[in-house]
Amino acid sequence: MTDPSSSCATGPGCITCGDVALPLTVVEVTGPDARCRTDDGREELVATELVGVVAAGDVLLVHAGVALEHLARRNGESP
Amino acid sequence: MTMRFVDEFRDPELAAVLGREITALCEPGRHYKVMEVCGGHTHTIYRYGVQDHLPDDIELVHGPGCPVCVIPMGRVDDGIAIAEQDGVILTCFGDMMRVPGGNGSFLDANARGADIRMVYSPLDALRIARDNPGRQVVFYAIGFETTAPSTALTVLRAKKEGVSNFSVFCNHVTIIPAIKAILDSPDLRLDAFIGPGHVSTVIGCRPYEFIPRQHGKPLVCGGFEPLDLLQSVYMIMRQLAEGRAEVENQYTRVVAYDGNPVALKVLAEVFSLRPYFEWRGLGSISSSALQLSERYAEYDAELRYDVPGLRVADPKACQCGEVLKGVLKPWECKVFGTACTPETPIGTCMVSSEGACAAYYNYGRYAKQRLHLEIAT
């Protein structure tokens, strides 16, 4: 589980309440979820059902533990 | 550390260039009011001093798009009433813990013995339910269309996995009715809108097309970095200078014009529209909020638990309503910065850092103080 004390309150506010979505890179796909990493090395499990097929290296826009959009694929192509 | 999709949108030299180009588009003697609908934009404006790059003739007006700020006090009390029932674990997002209701906040309820836990995702709440089969776990859902898909997905997973001790107290709201209410408000004359970037990731840009078509005002969907906002203002000013009123998308690196069709399908599957819902500051707005659809009624906490369901008036001293409609600036509220601070919030706008009052308290007031000092010397 994502540690809420480190994720929800990251930065100056609650990223979920603030409608903040972050770009995360897929590290490993595990069924409907993907282990993803932020630029500062923090990892979380992200649900990917709303963005179709993902692969390691893809960049996803993530809000509240759910990917909302595919920002980039590993090979640099647009999704 | 380089932040992808971030650093290139914080370049101060580019900001200065954009500021000059925006100034050149201003019609002499005209005052422009542009509302940023989303609380995330409000936060960026104050944190990075976006207004400092704009001419005095362009006023940024803060809108109602902070999810925590629009929760009425009665719904906080309903959440506490659920949490105080035997065997219940109530889960919610971080900022929600401090929102004052008529009977205190969730933090106060915890001090009285309730079990209210902060989660980052509704999926974490479902995991708590799996780990505690002898308890009932309720997720206190708030947020606009950015967050509603995560709740919907969680309900779908709960049903698929047969997790029966999980339910949702749904307070999700939708952005379009709130914009309509603001457009119909006699208090405010706006020239244009900056549309909410992450909400638009889900709903796309098409639902805003009534704004130029029926009201003759431009809307530009904007991103959340300082240069995103400046470019959005630039696109708006170009439209106004050229006599156009259209929906444009500045945040193309994230927002598709038609949104995310899979997310929209999931929302339509799990939720239905409430006939009406009370918004703090805007009052009762018809068809502006979501509830669990009949197909998923077994996960609806409002059907599982008796809640007071009462309308609780805001404290008289608090002027969050006017701030949420953009009629008052935060510092014009009578209790701003004195009785009401982020540590001891009276109104919701002072709770979330995306609330206009908290954003101004944390960042904007220093710039204003600096300006006053410069003028005095």
Side-chain angles (χ1 to χ4, degrees):
Chain A
M1 189 195 313
T2 308
D3 174 7
S5 63
S6 68
S7 300
C8 192
T10 292
C14 166
I15 63 170
T16 317
C17 305
D19 254 10
V20 178
L22 297 174
L24 268 65
T25 303
V26 176
V27 177
E28 181 186 19
V29 179
T30 54
D33 296 325
R35 191 161 56 85
C36 295
R37 188 177 293 156
T38 61
D39 281 349
D40 60 2
R42 187 171 53 83
E43 288 195 356
E44 63 178 88
L45 204 59
V46 172
T48 64
E49 289 102 315
L50 302 183
V51 294
V53 178
V54 301
D58 290 357
V59 182
L60 307 175
L61 184 78
V62 177
H63 173 83
V66 174
L68 293 179
E69 199 55 79
H70 221 135
L71 294 182
R73 294 203 187 276
R74 175 179 46 177
N75 55 13
E77 285 176 9
S78 295
Chain B
M1 180 177 59
T2 302
M3 299 283 281
R4 288 162 309 158
F5 304 100
V6 172
D7 283 354
E8 55 269 53
F9 297 96
R10 293 181 183 173
D11 183 336
E13 287 177 20
L14 271 179
V17 170
L18 267 171
R20 285 194 292 275
E21 293 189 8
I22 290 167
T23 303
L25 289 168
C26 287
E27 189 182 310
R30 182 172 173 186
H31 186 78
Y32 300 87
K33 279 188 169 184
V34 177
M35 174 175 275
E36 86 277 2
V37 176
C38 182
H41 287 153
T42 306
H43 182 84
T44 299
I45 287 163
Y46 282 130
R47 184 173 187 188
Y48 295 99
V50 171
Q51 183 80 58
D52 296 346
H53 289 283
L54 298 176
D56 292 342
D57 289 336
I58 299 178
E59 180 187 347
L60 296 177
V61 179
H62 317 311
C66 160
V68 178
C69 300
V70 297
I71 289 287
M73 293 179 80
R75 299 292 286 186
V76 178
D77 293 348
D78 290 347
I80 291 173
I82 292 173
E84 288 179 338
Q85 299 193 30
D86 281 347
V88 169
I89 301 170
L90 186 75
T91 56
C92 68
F93 295 137
D95 278 349
M96 198 57 229
M97 295 294 287
R98 297 188 303 127
V99 174
N103 190 23
S105 66
F106 288 178
L107 283 176
D108 296 326
N110 266 353
R112 294 195 296 264
D115 187 353
I116 306 180
R117 303 182 191 180
M118 188 173 83
V119 292
Y120 163 68
S121 164
L123 291 164
D124 292 338
L126 182 61
R127 199 180 307 257
I128 292 171
R130 276 193 225 105
D131 294 344
N132 294 272
R135 307 276 301 271
Q136 285 293 325
V137 177
V138 181
F139 176 61
Y140 190 97
I142 64 161
F144 288 87
E145 288 94 332
T146 323
T147 315
S150 62
T151 304
L153 200 61
T154 304
V155 171
L156 289 176
R157 284 196 180 185
K159 192 172 179 88
K160 188 176 176 188
E161 296 170 20
V163 180
S164 59
N165 64 325
F166 174 78
S167 60
V168 173
F169 186 72
C170 188
N171 300 280
H172 284 303
V173 286
T174 56
I175 198 71
I176 296 296
I179 296 177
K180 281 184 178 162
I182 283 168
L183 281 164
D184 292 340
S185 168
D187 302 335
L188 205 57
R189 183 198 64 81
L190 293 169
D191 293 283
F193 291 90
I194 300 173
H198 290 144
V199 164
S200 306
T201 305
V202 175
I203 68 171
C205 300
R206 219 169 282 284
Y208 306 115
E209 288 177 348
F210 77 97
I211 299 172
R213 197 170 55 231
Q214 294 176 18
H215 299 271
K217 298 178 195 302
L219 179 142
V220 173
C221 284
F224 292 84
E225 294 302 323
L227 289 188
D228 287 323
L229 284 166
L230 285 170
Q231 191 182 16
S232 299
V233 174
Y234 172 77
M235 291 167 74
I236 283 170
M237 294 302 292
R238 270 199 71 162
Q239 287 200 39
L240 293 172
E242 294 168 3
R244 290 185 291 123
E246 298 168 9
V247 172
E248 290 184 310
N249 183 11
Q250 182 275 334
Y251 204 24
T252 51
R253 67 184 184 280
V254 170
V255 172
Y257 201 85
D258 285 317
N260 181 333
V262 180
L264 289 171
K265 194 175 170 193
V266 166
L267 288 179
E269 161 79 11
V270 174
F271 296 118
S272 60
L273 277 176
R274 289 177 189 270
Y276 59 87
F277 192 75
E278 188 199 343
W279 292 55
R280 188 180 287 228
L282 298 177
S284 191
I285 305 178
S286 62
S287 304
S288 67
L290 304 176
Q291 62 188 358
L292 275 288
S293 64
E294 277 185 30
R295 202 175 306 171
Y296 296 90
E298 64 194 289
Y299 296 98
D300 190 343
E302 281 179 83
L303 300 177
R304 284 194 192 189
Y305 303 96
D306 283 332
V307 294
L310 299 175
R311 188 185 182 282
V312 180
D314 288 341
K316 279 187 181 166
C318 172
Q319 293 181 286
C320 270
E322 285 77 11
V323 172
L324 282 167
K325 284 191 289 187
V327 176
L328 278 188
K329 296 291 185 189
W331 60 88
E332 293 170 333
C333 172
K334 292 190 286 287
V335 291
F336 174 83
T338 52
C340 185
T341 67
E343 288 73 35
T344 56
I346 293 177
T348 45
C349 300
M350 193 57 101
V351 175
S352 163
S353 62
E354 280 67 26
C357 295
Y360 180 74
Y361 187 91
N362 289 329
Y363 302 110
R365 66 194 173 118
Y366 297 113
K368 204 176 179 81
Q369 284 165 3
R370 263 200 318 274
L371 188 65
H372 284 164
L373 278 174
E374 285 166 13
I375 291 169
T377 52

